[in-house]
Amino acid sequence: STRNNTPYLSVEGNSLFLINNTKAERKQYSFDWVADENSSQEDIFEHIGAPVVRNCLEGYNGTIYAYGQTGSGKTYTVQGALDRSGAAIGNERGLVPRILEYLFELTHKKKVENELVDFECRCSFLEIYNEQVSDLLAKDSVPLQIRGDKDNRRVEGLIERKVLCTEDAMAVLNA
């Protein structure tokens, strides 16, 4: 119901509706899954990370975008708990360490199955804040530009580092 014609949210199945009676509007937003406060890092990985990795290895682009208010848990969800050396801690590993582990596990299996298959993995690390794109691997980060057309986009000048395993990639990201 509404109070004083204040817009409100309604959830029906896998859809979220924003209802604004003052404008006679009902906007629908679809979703696949919602994580709640009881969701574990493993749950997040299984529902979000693993499918993205599998799709990437089938040739599709994949992006996981963490968005939210300060203090809402984005860093914990993405990185997880880290020890002083920057290594992820057991079950508290976030999406990035789990995705890297899974990526290298799957690429190794594909190489074993077919010796003609080869993979190269490169890491970049960027931040979008206040509509500015910054390279987090650059010593002196200057705003970068997104270039390309509807089929191919890239961040011009973004540093990429070749990595051979999960530990290499985590070292790049924690540098």
Side-chain angles (χ1 to χ4, degrees), residues 24-95:
E25 286 182 329
R26 179 178 162 107
K27 293 183 181 178
Q28 180 177 353
Y29 303 91
S30 297
F31 57 88
D32 294 321
W33 180 71
V34 175
D36 64 18
E37 65 274 4
N38 297 313
S39 299
S40 68
Q41 293 284 37
E42 180 67 20
D43 294 335
I44 304 286
F45 171 73
E46 289 298 327
H47 282 90
I48 298 168
V52 169
V53 171
R54 288 191 298 269
N55 287 334
C56 286
L57 292 176
E58 293 298 322
Y60 297 96
N61 289 326
T63 299
I64 296 174
Y65 186 78
Y67 178 82
Q69 177 177 352
T70 299
S72 62
K74 298 177 301 294
T75 301
Y76 177 74
T77 301
V78 172
Q79 290 181 339
L82 305 176
D83 66 18
R84 290 177 188 224
S85 71
I89 301 172
N91 289 338
E92 297 300 310
R93 296 179 334 278
L95 274 172

Side-chain angles (χ1 to χ4, degrees), residues 88-133:
I89 301 172
N91 289 338
E92 297 300 310
R93 296 179 334 278
L95 274 172
V96 169
R98 289 171 190 269
I99 284 171
L100 291 168
E101 291 163 3
Y102 191 53
L103 173 67
F104 286 108
E105 173 189 327
L106 291 181
T107 56
H108 177 74
K109 282 181 183 176
K110 287 187 181 280
K111 285 180 187 179
V112 168
E113 291 169 4
N114 182 349
E115 61 189 43
L116 298 177
V117 171
D118 193 27
F119 291 92
E120 180 177 284
C121 185
R122 290 184 259 160
C123 279
S124 55
F125 199 21
L126 67 86
E127 173 183 62
I128 302 172
Y129 183 74
N130 285 337
E131 299 183 24
Q132 295 282 323
V133 179

